[in-house]
Short mmCIF file of all heavy atoms in Angstrom, two decimals:
data_model
loop_
_atom_site.label_atom_id
_atom_site.label_comp_id
_atom_site.label_asym_id
_atom_site.label_seq_id
_atom_site.Cartn_x
_atom_site.Cartn_y
_atom_site.Cartn_z
N LEU A 187 77.34 36.99 20.35
CA LEU A 187 77.09 37.57 19.00
C LEU A 187 78.25 38.56 18.64
O LEU A 187 78.71 38.58 17.53
CB LEU A 187 75.72 38.19 18.90
CG LEU A 187 75.40 38.87 17.64
CD1 LEU A 187 75.43 37.90 16.38
CD2 LEU A 187 73.99 39.52 17.66
N THR A 188 78.55 39.43 19.60
CA THR A 188 79.62 40.37 19.38
C THR A 188 80.93 39.71 18.97
O THR A 188 81.58 40.16 18.04
CB THR A 188 79.80 41.24 20.64
OG1 THR A 188 78.60 41.96 20.98
CG2 THR A 188 80.99 42.25 20.46
N ARG A 189 81.29 38.68 19.71
CA ARG A 189 82.53 37.95 19.45
C ARG A 189 82.50 37.34 18.03
O ARG A 189 83.48 37.36 17.30
CB ARG A 189 82.81 36.93 20.51
CG ARG A 189 83.13 37.59 21.84
CD ARG A 189 83.52 36.58 22.92
NE ARG A 189 82.53 35.75 23.42
CZ ARG A 189 81.67 36.07 24.38
NH1 ARG A 189 81.78 37.23 25.06
NH2 ARG A 189 80.71 35.20 24.81
N MET A 190 81.29 36.76 17.64
CA MET A 190 81.13 36.18 16.33
C MET A 190 81.34 37.25 15.24
O MET A 190 82.08 37.00 14.23
CB MET A 190 79.77 35.59 16.16
CG MET A 190 79.54 34.28 16.84
SD MET A 190 77.83 33.79 16.50
CE MET A 190 77.70 32.27 17.54
N LEU A 191 80.73 38.43 15.45
CA LEU A 191 80.83 39.45 14.38
C LEU A 191 82.28 39.96 14.29
O LEU A 191 82.79 40.27 13.21
CB LEU A 191 79.82 40.59 14.78
CG LEU A 191 78.40 40.28 14.61
CD1 LEU A 191 77.50 41.43 15.10
CD2 LEU A 191 77.94 39.85 13.23
N LEU A 192 82.97 40.13 15.43
CA LEU A 192 84.35 40.62 15.44
C LEU A 192 85.25 39.59 14.76
O LEU A 192 86.20 39.95 14.03
CB LEU A 192 84.78 40.99 16.84
CG LEU A 192 84.60 42.39 17.35
CD1 LEU A 192 85.53 43.35 16.56
CD2 LEU A 192 83.15 42.94 17.28
N ASP A 193 85.01 38.30 14.98
CA ASP A 193 85.81 37.29 14.28
C ASP A 193 85.63 37.42 12.82
O ASP A 193 86.55 37.27 12.04
CB ASP A 193 85.34 35.90 14.82
CG ASP A 193 85.95 35.51 16.17
OD1 ASP A 193 86.82 36.28 16.65
OD2 ASP A 193 85.45 34.55 16.85
N HIS A 194 84.31 37.57 12.36
CA HIS A 194 84.06 37.72 10.94
C HIS A 194 84.80 38.97 10.36
O HIS A 194 85.38 38.87 9.30
CB HIS A 194 82.50 37.81 10.73
CG HIS A 194 82.19 38.50 9.46
ND1 HIS A 194 82.46 37.99 8.24
CD2 HIS A 194 81.53 39.71 9.23
CE1 HIS A 194 82.07 38.84 7.29
NE2 HIS A 194 81.49 39.89 7.84
N LEU A 195 84.73 40.06 11.09
CA LEU A 195 85.37 41.27 10.59
C LEU A 195 86.86 41.14 10.53
O LEU A 195 87.54 41.59 9.59
CB LEU A 195 85.02 42.47 11.51
CG LEU A 195 83.60 42.96 11.40
CD1 LEU A 195 83.27 44.00 12.44
CD2 LEU A 195 83.27 43.50 10.04
N LYS A 196 87.43 40.43 11.54
CA LYS A 196 88.91 40.21 11.58
C LYS A 196 89.35 39.41 10.31
O LYS A 196 90.33 39.73 9.67
CB LYS A 196 89.27 39.41 12.80
CG LYS A 196 90.75 39.28 13.05
CD LYS A 196 91.09 38.57 14.32
CE LYS A 196 92.57 38.33 14.49
NZ LYS A 196 92.80 37.49 15.66
N ASN A 197 88.45 38.44 9.91
CA ASN A 197 88.75 37.63 8.77
C ASN A 197 88.44 38.38 7.47
O ASN A 197 88.72 37.85 6.32
CB ASN A 197 87.95 36.29 8.75
CG ASN A 197 88.35 35.40 9.92
OD1 ASN A 197 89.49 35.44 10.30
ND2 ASN A 197 87.43 34.60 10.43
N SER A 198 87.75 39.50 7.57
CA SER A 198 87.49 40.38 6.42
C SER A 198 88.40 41.55 6.30
O SER A 198 88.11 42.62 5.77
CB SER A 198 86.04 40.86 6.52
OG SER A 198 85.16 39.75 6.67
N ASN A 199 89.63 41.39 6.89
CA ASN A 199 90.70 42.41 6.83
C ASN A 199 90.37 43.71 7.56
O ASN A 199 90.89 44.81 7.19
CB ASN A 199 91.06 42.75 5.38
CG ASN A 199 91.65 41.49 4.70
OD1 ASN A 199 92.41 40.78 5.26
ND2 ASN A 199 91.20 41.29 3.44
N VAL A 200 89.52 43.66 8.55
CA VAL A 200 89.23 44.82 9.42
C VAL A 200 90.33 44.77 10.49
O VAL A 200 90.61 43.79 11.09
CB VAL A 200 87.81 44.79 10.03
CG1 VAL A 200 87.72 45.86 11.11
CG2 VAL A 200 86.80 45.01 8.94
N ASP A 201 91.01 45.93 10.69
CA ASP A 201 92.09 46.06 11.66
C ASP A 201 91.50 46.34 13.05
O ASP A 201 90.95 47.40 13.27
CB ASP A 201 92.96 47.22 11.20
CG ASP A 201 94.25 47.36 12.11
OD1 ASP A 201 94.52 46.43 12.89
OD2 ASP A 201 94.96 48.40 11.94
N ILE A 202 91.62 45.34 13.88
CA ILE A 202 91.08 45.46 15.30
C ILE A 202 92.19 45.68 16.27
O ILE A 202 93.12 44.80 16.36
CB ILE A 202 90.22 44.28 15.68
CG1 ILE A 202 89.17 44.03 14.66
CG2 ILE A 202 89.59 44.56 17.03
CD1 ILE A 202 88.35 42.76 14.85
N LYS A 203 92.25 46.82 16.94
CA LYS A 203 93.32 47.16 17.87
C LYS A 203 92.83 47.01 19.28
O LYS A 203 92.14 47.93 19.76
CB LYS A 203 93.91 48.50 17.52
CG LYS A 203 94.59 48.62 16.21
CD LYS A 203 95.37 49.92 15.99
CE LYS A 203 96.19 49.88 14.72
NZ LYS A 203 97.27 48.86 14.80
#
Side-chain angles (χ1 to χ4, degrees):
L187 177 59
T188 300
R189 293 187 288 273
M190 284 182 184
L191 294 176
L192 267 292
D193 283 346
H194 156 64
L195 289 172
K196 189 179 176 183
N197 294 331
S198 305
N199 298 317
V200 169
D201 184 11
I202 306 173
K203 293 190 171 293

